[in-house]
Amino acid sequence: MRTYLYCEAGFVEKAQWLPNSWVNVVCPNNDDFEFLTKTLNVPESFLDDIADTDERPRTDTEGNWLLTILRIPVQNKQNENLPFGTVPIGIITNNEIIISVCYYNTDLLPDFIEHTRRKGIIVRNKLDLILRLIYSSAVWFLKYLKQINLDISAAEKELERSIRNEDLLRLMRLQKTLVYFNTSIRGNEVMIGKLKTIFQDTDYLDKELVEDVIIELKQALNTVNIYSDILTGTMDAFASIISNNVNTIMKRMTSLSIVLMLPTLIASFYGMNVDIHLEEVPFAFSLIVLFSIGLSTLAFVIFRKIKWF
């Protein structure tokens, strides 16, 4: 699906493509491919690179075309193994055309377009658009990080009640998400340096906008690092708790085994077919039982004193 957007104090959708407008392509189909490659003459290799899920942020050129690949955050509502992730988005530009291609539906692009309309933002050129998309990606990284923090807190409360594998796996998946976020934000940050080098001799470069984007990315990166450290500490703490609980259970089981072993040992001795010199003693069986109970009680008191029970 593709839309044609023209900047008039915010991006306004047009019925057909106009020069110097933004062509936004999401989940492209065959008709979109034909329009991009045959009508606009976009290099097919660029589209293949953007389709790679693991493509890292980078730039590439072919003729007068410039490809800029960024990583943007997405929420995977149907994927329980990875609730949040990142996907590539490609911005393909030349002197007259600006095209964005993303093979996934995201909340970022509609929100970005609506934000430009609400604030009346004028995007002057292709570099402005790329920088503002990076800025918007940092905002959405922070937004998803708040949700991740809430999920971490919820999982911690569940683990405080009872340690279950499901809650530990939930924390592990969130930790995996933070690794993806960290890598993607760092990649986008590196991209700004490359773009500054490419456009340093042009009038496109807006130093204030670049500075704002860098500040927002650093904030997102610091937040990721903080949550990652907290999550790592939480996982280590619960791992220690689990190990301590196992040790406690083993001590109790060992103590119980010893307490129950003493009567069994005495019964084994007196159950042998030998003379035990108690045949003539009245209440011999009761005395043996009481003696066994006394030994077990003594063992229990000792283990209780050393806190094995």
Side-chain angles (χ1 to χ4, degrees):
M1 181 185 71
R2 64 180 182 272
T3 54
Y4 309 109
L5 301 160
Y6 195 80
C7 189
E8 299 175 353
F11 283 103
V12 179
E13 188 172 340
K14 299 292 184 179
Q16 59 184 4
W17 177 77
L18 299 173
N20 299 317
S21 63
W22 171 23
V23 181
N24 180 33
V25 183
V26 178
C27 299
N29 53 30
N30 292 332
D31 181 59
D32 296 326
F33 277 115
E34 186 174 350
F35 173 78
L36 293 174
T37 56
K38 295 183 179 180
T39 304
L40 300 183
N41 298 318
V42 174
E44 291 186 16
S45 59
F46 284 0
L47 301 177
D48 293 336
D49 291 341
I50 300 170
D52 186 0
T53 306
D54 299 321
E55 189 68 53
R56 309 317 308 163
R58 63 179 181 87
T59 60
D60 194 7
T61 57
E62 184 172 326
N64 65 337
W65 290 96
L66 171 67
L67 169 65
T68 305
I69 296 179
L70 309 173
R71 300 288 301 189
I72 60 175
V74 294
Q75 184 173 9
N76 302 321
K77 296 181 180 180
Q78 298 179 348
N79 187 356
E80 295 182 354
N81 294 325
L82 191 65
F84 301 93
T86 61
V87 296
I89 180 174
I91 298 96
I92 307 169
T93 60
N94 62 13
N95 295 329
E96 297 180 352
I97 302 173
I98 302 175
I99 306 165
S100 65
V101 180
C102 185
Y103 284 78
Y104 303 87
N105 283 311
T106 68
D107 296 325
L108 185 150
L109 289 173
D111 178 74
F112 171 73
I113 295 169
E114 180 61 29
H115 175 73
T116 60
R117 294 173 184 166
R118 188 171 59 252
K119 296 293 185 179
I121 296 173
I122 297 177
V123 179
R124 300 181 297 113
N125 51 58
K126 56 188 176 183
L127 180 58
D128 266 16
L129 177 62
I130 295 172
L131 291 175
R132 290 188 183 278
L133 283 173
I134 297 176
Y135 186 94
S136 183
S137 73
V139 171
W140 275 90
F141 274 120
L142 289 169
K143 186 177 295 187
Y144 286 143
L145 284 170
K146 291 180 181 178
Q147 296 185 34
I148 290 173
N149 188 40
L150 294 176
D151 289 344
I152 293 173
S153 299
E156 287 176 353
K157 290 180 180 179
E158 291 294 331
L159 285 168
E160 287 174 2
R161 298 190 186 98
S162 63
I163 297 177
R164 301 182 305 170
N165 291 338
E166 293 81 1
D167 296 320
L168 292 173
L169 290 173
R170 182 180 175 186
L171 289 178
M172 186 188 69
R173 288 192 288 267
L174 292 175
Q175 193 171 38
K176 187 192 300 183
T177 296
L178 292 177
V179 172
Y180 287 134
F181 275 21
N182 187 305
T183 305
S184 298
I185 293 172
R186 288 182 182 276
N188 289 347
E189 194 173 18
V190 171
M191 277 300 309
I192 295 178
K194 293 182 179 179
L195 292 171
K196 288 170 65 178
T197 302
I198 294 172
F199 294 99
Q200 63 180 348
D201 297 328
T202 67
D203 297 330
Y204 291 163
L205 194 60
D206 185 342
K207 293 184 179 180
E208 291 185 1
L209 179 58
V210 171
E211 185 177 352
D212 290 341
V213 174
I214 292 174
I215 290 173
E216 197 70 17
L217 281 175
K218 287 188 180 297
Q219 181 182 353
L221 184 60
N222 290 335
T223 305
V224 168
N225 290 333
I226 290 171
Y227 288 169
S228 182
D229 291 342
I230 292 173
L231 188 54
T232 300
T234 302
M235 293 285 286
D236 292 342
F238 281 113
S240 299
I241 291 172
I242 292 171
S243 178
N244 185 60
N245 290 343
V246 171
N247 291 336
T248 301
I249 291 172
M250 292 304 297
K251 286 193 297 184
R252 289 178 178 175
M253 294 297 294
T254 303
S255 302
L256 184 61
S257 298
I258 294 174
V259 169
L260 295 177
M261 181 195 70
L262 294 174
T264 304
L265 181 64
I266 294 172
S268 299
F269 287 150
Y270 284 99
M272 295 180 183
N273 190 20
V274 294
D275 186 9
I276 59 176
H277 307 291
L278 289 176
E279 293 86 350
E280 305 299 330
V281 177
F283 309 109
F285 177 76
S286 299
L287 292 174
I288 294 172
V289 171
L290 290 174
F291 180 69
S292 301
I293 294 174
L295 281 179
S296 297
T297 303
L298 178 63
F300 177 81
V301 171
I302 293 173
F303 288 133
R304 185 73 173 179
K305 190 174 183 180
I306 63 177
K307 297 181 180 180
W308 275 36
F309 266 115

